[in-house]
Amino acid sequence: MERAMRRERVFRDRSNLLEIYNNEDFIGRFRLPKEAILSLTDELAEELSPATSRSHSIPAVLQVCTALRFYATGTFLNAVGDTVGLSKASVSRVVYRVSRALSNKLPQFPNQLAELNKVRRGFFSIARFPNVVGAIDGTHVRIQGPTAHEHLFVNRKGYHSLNIQAVCDSDLRFLNCVARWPGSIHDSRILQNSQLFRAFEQGIIDGVLLGDSGYPLKPWLLTPFLNPTTPAQRNYNTAHCSTRNTVERAFGVLKRRFHCLHGELRMTPDRVCNIICATVVLHNIARDLRLPDPEGGDIRDDNLNEVEDREHLEEQDGTGRYVRQITIDIVVPLDTDGKTAVADADADSDSSSSVPSRLSPGSSSTASLRSQVKDRVTKNKYRHNITLLAS
């Protein structure tokens, strides 16, 4: 048998993409302006720059542009390679390398008082819902069926996916992201196995999250009423929905900006996880730069949670329900027109008080929580702090 001849290497023409397009066209194709690309290249240079200048190595800036072009289109690697002048194998390696480097820069949930107060004020300005430090939800990213444990990745809609948990602020920036769970896993289980859950349970983070009915009701995680029966409960649900809606909008903007998340990613789950984390980092950069949202129809997120899952979510001691009721009775009152009203500040209240904080950590009994809430009501802390937010 004749030995197969080795295929001759072909070095393609790699044009300088930064010079070909003007800034507007460049943003349309790569989702970030040229200055941001160069800054990002400098940050990732150590991880992307080749150890040698032999063999026509791919420059770091071209690697970043290649990965962003794939994120923006989600098309075949061959098509991306034709755009940037690389082979399919090179594009695959570049996307993996850049995604891994970017995933190491995922945002960490803020724990400083100044940062948390800024987030609280942003949420309060939407519907006067106090003490909110994040809106939490999950979204599914479609993937090709993997060879290992394939059944675990089939979600309730019948397709293969990864279930992504994220928390965002009022400016649609992601504060936390967990991208490693198969599509069959419920949102509540992802939360309960996350570092964020432990941080809130231990009182490390002061504030409340807003979640949909697929999450358990807790003193630091408020969910809507499934069947509101009073005007106050309906008003609470309205304010809750308007405030929590930011996370659904953030997912929509993310998937419009990086269309690879809207289609099917034909890669292994571990590579898809890195790609998702990379797009979250890039999305935050775009929000910081105040870039306009990509044009196109609104991509609505599939809510795969079902009411029948409520049985295993119900809390045991009722503390979450009590905190929610206090929120309704004190900090989300109704005025005569049926709108949310802000109580006047007590003239003798301490002007240095911070925005309203969660009940003290470590209190597990309902009686203890009731005592703490009564003390706070007596001192008008909730009322004064809400006025501080509105000012």
Side-chain angles (χ1 to χ4, degrees), residues 211-314:
D212 60 21
S213 57
Y215 288 100
L217 176 62
K218 290 183 171 293
W220 52 266
L221 176 56
L222 299 182
T223 59
F225 287 93
L226 292 180
N227 298 296
T229 57
T230 66
Q233 289 181 357
R234 287 190 289 270
N235 181 74
Y236 167 89
N237 274 11
T238 300
H240 184 285
C241 178
S242 299
T243 308
R244 194 196 67 84
N245 185 51
T246 54
V247 68
E248 295 182 357
R249 291 166 51 210
F251 282 139
V253 173
L254 175 69
K255 291 184 177 182
R256 285 199 305 271
R257 176 167 280 121
F258 302 109
H259 203 266
C260 67
L261 303 180
H262 186 51
E264 180 183 77
L265 284 167
R266 295 170 290 277
M267 297 181 180
T268 58
D270 59 325
R271 290 200 172 199
V272 174
C273 292
N274 284 334
I275 290 174
I276 294 170
C277 294
T279 57
V280 167
V281 173
L282 296 171
H283 168 86
N284 282 357
I285 294 176
R287 299 301 298 180
D288 291 339
L289 295 174
R290 301 296 179 183
L291 296 180
D293 295 338
E295 297 180 356
D298 188 20
I299 298 177
R300 290 296 177 182
D301 223 35
D302 289 335
N303 185 0
L304 301 183
N305 294 329
E306 295 183 0
V307 177
E308 64 186 25
D309 291 315
R310 294 296 304 174
E311 293 185 2
H312 75 279
L313 299 177
E314 293 298 332

Side-chain angles (χ1 to χ4, degrees), residues 6-31:
R6 181 177 180 180
R7 186 172 61 178
E8 181 181 358
R9 296 185 66 183
V10 177
F11 298 101
R12 303 186 183 186
D13 177 30
R14 298 170 184 166
S15 301
N16 189 341
L17 299 174
L18 299 178
E19 296 178 354
I20 296 178
Y21 307 105
N22 61 39
N23 207 41
E24 182 179 354
D25 291 340
F26 191 89
I27 293 176
R29 287 172 169 82
F30 301 97
R31 298 301 190 249

Side-chain angles (χ1 to χ4, degrees), residues 19-79:
E19 296 178 354
I20 296 178
Y21 307 105
N22 61 39
N23 207 41
E24 182 179 354
D25 291 340
F26 191 89
I27 293 176
R29 287 172 169 82
F30 301 97
R31 298 301 190 249
L32 291 179
K34 297 177 182 180
E35 298 78 8
I37 294 290
L38 294 175
S39 176
L40 190 61
T41 301
D42 291 338
E43 292 183 32
L44 305 178
E46 185 176 347
E47 299 177 68
L48 300 182
S49 297
T52 177
S53 59
R54 298 171 56 192
S55 301
H56 294 259
S57 56
I58 305 173
V61 64
L62 183 56
Q63 295 185 50
V64 173
C65 289
T66 301
L68 263 67
R69 182 59 180 166
F70 173 76
Y71 301 152
T73 61
T75 188
F76 293 103
L77 298 179
N78 274 332

Side-chain angles (χ1 to χ4, degrees), residues 58 77-78 86-95 97 271:
I58 305 173
L77 298 179
N78 274 332
L86 297 177
S87 66
K88 175 182 176 181
S90 295
V91 173
S92 178
R93 288 191 294 266
V94 165
V95 170
R97 193 180 301 128
R271 290 200 172 199

Side-chain angles (χ1 to χ4, degrees), residues 99-376:
S99 299
R100 184 179 57 184
L102 285 172
S103 64
N104 294 328
K105 298 183 177 296
L106 266 181
Q108 300 295 320
F109 200 92
N111 55 13
Q112 299 298 317
L113 181 60
E115 295 177 291
L116 290 175
N117 282 348
K118 182 179 179 181
V119 176
R120 288 185 178 103
R121 290 187 176 93
F123 278 115
F124 186 80
S125 65
I126 298 175
R128 297 180 179 272
F129 208 110
N131 203 24
V132 179
V133 295
I136 186 172
D137 201 2
T139 186
H140 286 256
V141 174
R142 186 186 295 263
I143 65 172
Q144 189 176 43
T147 55
H149 308 293
E150 178 269 342
H151 64 284
L152 295 178
F153 293 85
V154 180
N155 62 34
R156 292 182 179 177
K157 292 296 181 75
Y159 62 86
H160 299 88
S161 68
L162 291 174
N163 193 357
I164 313 304
Q165 173 186 286
V167 179
C168 80
D169 63 12
S170 61
D171 195 37
L172 310 188
R173 294 182 73 261
F174 289 104
L175 305 177
N176 179 266
C177 178
V178 178
R180 61 187 180 89
W181 290 88
S184 64
I185 305 302
H186 194 273
D187 289 356
S188 62
R189 180 180 173 186
I190 297 176
L191 174 62
Q192 291 169 2
N193 285 274
S194 67
Q195 294 182 356
L196 193 66
F197 182 89
R198 292 187 287 272
F200 275 98
E201 283 287 290
Q202 297 170 9
I204 298 175
I205 300 175
D206 186 20
V208 299
L209 297 176
L210 298 186
D212 60 21
S213 57
Y215 288 100
L217 176 62
K218 290 183 171 293
W220 52 266
L221 176 56
L222 299 182
T223 59
F225 287 93
L226 292 180
N227 298 296
T229 57
T230 66
Q233 289 181 357
R234 287 190 289 270
N235 181 74
Y236 167 89
N237 274 11
T238 300
H240 184 285
C241 178
S242 299
T243 308
R244 194 196 67 84
N245 185 51
T246 54
V247 68
E248 295 182 357
R249 291 166 51 210
F251 282 139
V253 173
L254 175 69
K255 291 184 177 182
R256 285 199 305 271
R257 176 167 280 121
F258 302 109
H259 203 266
C260 67
L261 303 180
H262 186 51
E264 180 183 77
L265 284 167
R266 295 170 290 277
M267 297 181 180
T268 58
D270 59 325
R271 290 200 172 199
V272 174
C273 292
N274 284 334
I275 290 174
I276 294 170
C277 294
T279 57
V280 167
V281 173
L282 296 171
H283 168 86
N284 282 357
I285 294 176
R287 299 301 298 180
D288 291 339
L289 295 174
R290 301 296 179 183
L291 296 180
D293 295 338
E295 297 180 356
D298 188 20
I299 298 177
R300 290 296 177 182
D301 223 35
D302 289 335
N303 185 0
L304 301 183
N305 294 329
E306 295 183 0
V307 177
E308 64 186 25
D309 291 315
R310 294 296 304 174
E311 293 185 2
H312 75 279
L313 299 177
E314 293 298 332
E315 55 181 353
Q316 300 299 318
D317 56 9
T319 54
R321 290 193 295 274
Y322 190 75
V323 172
R324 185 170 63 179
Q325 187 60 44
I326 289 297
T327 303
I328 295 174
D329 294 342
I330 300 175
V331 295
V332 193
L334 290 172
D335 60 15
T336 56
D337 297 328
K339 300 179 181 179
T340 308
V342 179
D344 294 334
D346 184 28
D348 298 329
S349 298
D350 182 8
S351 60
S352 63
S353 299
S354 63
V355 291
S357 60
R358 181 172 64 84
L359 299 179
S360 302
S363 301
S364 59
S365 67
T366 304
S368 176
L369 284 170
R370 289 176 181 271
S371 176
Q372 293 180 55
V373 172
K374 183 181 294 185
D375 290 340
R376 292 192 175 222

